[in-house]
Amino acid sequence: MTAGLSGCFLNDPNDAESGLGGNAFATGGTQDGDGKVQIMGTFGGPEQKALLASLEDFEKESGIEIDYVSEKDLPTVIKQKAKAGDTPDIALFPQPGGLLELADEGHIQPIDTYLDYDALEKSLVPGFLEAARLNGRVYGAPMKMAVKSLVFYPKKAYEKAGYDTAPKSLEEMRQIAGEMKADGTAPWCMGWNDAQNTGWVGTDWIEEFVLREAGPDVYDEWVDHDIAFDDPQIIKAFEAFKKTVLADGQTYGGTKTILNTNFGESITPEFSSPPKCFWHRQGDFILSFLPKKIGANVDEEVGVFVLPPSESGFKGQPILGGGDTAALFNGNDKEAIEVMKFLTSDEFGGPWAKAGGWLSPHQSFDAEQYSSEMTKQIAEIVAQVDVFRFDASDLMPKAVGSDSFWDGMVAFAKGESAAKVTKRIDESWPEE
């Protein structure tokens, strides 16, 4: 826990804007060199069991004992521990906001001082590291990925109807949607209701369209408020979303059903006989909300493809998602560094992949370790994408990302114009 570690910086180590700056190092964590490394994360229950199983062989081979602490309210607790000088050696952040805040205060070690940054960047889904970047340096690396840009469909009924299972563009999807409507079925199913959190499903949709219509550079500017929330490029994304999903006949039940249906139940109408809709865009987590009979036979019953790019927008396949990011509080402990190297590598996660409910952020991860064909399909999608971006609302200030943006999406679904909605959201952005 004393300064003294040296490393190869990919960024200027004397950059005064970086969280630590100069040659200083994060000096938190537990006792150095005691053969034990403490990790704090939000995983509990079966996820905790799978995490520890994925570390078991590493512990045996390295001789390092892992002390894992499960803390559901990690973002709050870790701030308190940082103030008290009582941080774990490593923390697994479910969103990057709290990580970046503590990095800015000098509590977290930049990864370029102890990881092979170039090799990591090459192995990961392109763009994943950007979520943990602060003033030119990256302070964390992902160890678990969530994918949101997935379109699920009822495999048997869909293939019987003869619809394209791999549309190459949003424009092609609109053509297929026209066929579905002509055949008497709404293309989309969707549900936004989540009690006080209602609206977040809609924010994901806007993020998808900003990525596809405007591209990742504009997306980053939007997240950082370098462009206004009501910038014409953002309004264009709102309008494209409306045309694709909210227009009359596009979604089962219309606006009333969208706003009153719980997000976890919204995929169910796909599996009615006959289906009440054919497409459901959501994250891979929605598979845990499938009707029991469907979930028990997911590989036979459910198909999936990636939400494709726009012909008039970004020239590449983007993907939206999230993940858990590992960050090092103890920059002086060689054992903690060894754990970080393993946690953030494509060698980590085999037992978790077999258990299910986990996806590697590495395109080079051995997909044969996944237990289901569905997960292998999702992994194949991830391996082929051109750019990844973290959920924008999770990166924006809370007053926007989980307040005015959510409320704005509900208003937009009810018919308020994109110009009015985005202007109100922009006005809610906290002053710096």
Side-chain angles (χ1 to χ4, degrees):
M1 293 172 63
T2 56
L5 181 69
S6 62
C8 177
F9 290 89
L10 295 186
N11 307 93
D12 181 2
N14 296 308
D15 180 3
E17 287 191 315
S18 65
L20 287 167
N23 289 311
F25 290 85
T27 58
T30 61
Q31 181 65 43
D32 298 345
D34 61 355
K36 298 179 182 178
V37 172
Q38 187 179 81
I39 301 174
M40 180 178 287
T42 60
F43 305 114
E47 285 189 309
Q48 178 176 339
K49 184 178 179 181
L51 167 64
L52 294 177
S54 297
L55 291 167
E56 191 172 318
D57 285 347
F58 169 81
E59 287 184 271
K60 291 178 181 176
E61 293 171 9
S62 67
I64 298 170
E65 180 182 339
I66 304 294
D67 172 25
Y68 176 74
V69 179
S70 178
E71 177 52 68
K72 285 298 180 185
D73 192 17
L74 184 142
T76 299
V77 171
I78 203 75
K79 287 181 186 178
Q80 296 170 347
K81 284 185 168 291
K83 283 185 179 180
D86 183 32
T87 60
D89 297 302
I90 295 167
L92 310 177
F93 287 85
Q95 289 95 23
L99 184 160
L100 293 174
E101 184 178 335
L102 291 173
D104 196 36
E105 295 174 1
H107 294 292
I108 296 176
Q109 185 77 15
I111 68 169
D112 58 80
T113 63
Y114 63 92
L115 297 179
D116 186 336
Y117 186 98
D118 289 342
L120 187 62
E121 189 173 41
K122 185 177 180 180
S123 172
L124 287 169
V125 176
F128 215 130
L129 289 173
E130 293 306 306
R133 186 178 296 279
L134 175 69
N135 298 324
R137 301 188 80 169
V138 176
Y139 288 84
M143 48 73 67
K144 181 179 186 289
M145 182 180 189
V147 183
K148 293 192 175 185
S149 303
L150 301 172
V151 180
F152 297 96
Y153 59 87
K155 202 170 187 177
K156 295 174 181 177
Y158 193 89
E159 292 176 353
K160 183 178 180 181
Y163 301 128
D164 191 346
T165 58
K168 294 179 177 61
S169 68
L170 291 175
E171 288 76 8
E172 284 189 19
M173 287 193 74
R174 292 186 186 112
Q175 292 176 2
I176 299 167
E179 297 172 18
M180 292 174 176
K181 289 194 289 184
D183 292 341
T185 304
W188 296 98
C189 267
M190 189 160 44
W192 291 11
N193 191 278
D194 189 17
Q196 70 270 25
N197 300 322
T198 298
W200 66 263
V201 177
T203 70
D204 284 357
W205 270 106
I206 297 303
E207 291 158 13
E208 299 277 20
F209 275 89
V210 172
L211 260 183
R212 283 158 180 76
E213 298 291 346
D217 292 340
V218 171
Y219 186 93
D220 294 341
E221 292 173 345
W222 176 51
V223 167
D224 293 336
H225 208 220
D226 291 336
I227 60 172
F229 205 102
D230 58 348
D231 183 274
Q233 297 170 101
I234 307 306
I235 292 176
K236 180 182 177 182
F238 270 76
E239 296 295 354
F241 164 58
K242 182 177 181 180
K243 178 182 178 182
T244 304
V245 181
L246 294 183
D248 288 347
Q250 290 292 107
T251 300
Y252 169 64
T255 300
K256 185 176 180 180
T257 297
I258 290 171
L259 295 179
N260 290 326
T261 301
N262 181 271
F263 76 93
E265 299 171 356
S266 58
I267 196 171
T268 301
E270 272 194 8
F271 301 98
S272 299
S273 184
K276 295 177 180 177
C277 60
F278 279 109
W279 289 332
H280 189 279
R281 185 223 61 89
Q282 192 45 276
D284 52 327
F285 68 84
I286 199 65
L287 294 171
S288 63
F289 290 90
L290 289 169
K292 286 185 178 180
K293 289 184 179 179
I294 303 300
N297 298 285
V298 65
D299 292 335
E300 291 76 30
E301 298 288 349
V302 186
V304 64
F305 60 84
V306 65
L307 187 70
S310 169
E311 291 176 2
S312 61
F314 175 65
K315 303 304 178 186
Q317 177 62 65
I319 200 165
L320 178 72
D324 292 81
T325 304
L328 180 66
F329 284 86
N330 191 348
N332 299 297
D333 187 4
K334 292 180 180 179
E335 291 157 343
I337 289 171
E338 288 304 308
V339 174
M340 279 293 293
K341 286 179 179 178
F342 178 68
L343 263 180
T344 60
S345 75
D346 61 2
E347 296 296 318
F348 170 77
W352 206 338
K354 288 182 176 67
W358 180 87
L359 194 67
S360 174
H362 293 271
Q363 291 182 315
S364 54
F365 182 80
D366 179 9
E368 290 304 311
Q369 297 184 85
Y370 293 117
S371 58
S372 72
E373 288 303 314
M374 170 61 69
T375 308
K376 290 177 184 177
Q377 279 185 269
I378 295 172
E380 185 177 346
I381 288 172
V382 169
Q384 295 175 357
V385 302
D386 296 300
V387 67
F388 169 91
R389 282 297 183 267
F390 211 94
D391 184 305
S393 59
D394 284 344
L395 298 173
M396 292 174 178
K398 186 177 183 298
V400 178
S402 54
D403 194 344
S404 63
F405 196 179
W406 289 358
D407 293 344
M409 290 312 303
V410 173
F412 186 62
K414 289 180 177 179
E416 190 170 350
S417 72
K420 287 184 178 179
V421 167
T422 55
K423 185 176 188 295
R424 188 165 63 250
I425 297 172
D426 190 68
E427 290 171 346
S428 74
W429 203 285
E431 293 184 10
E432 294 182 2

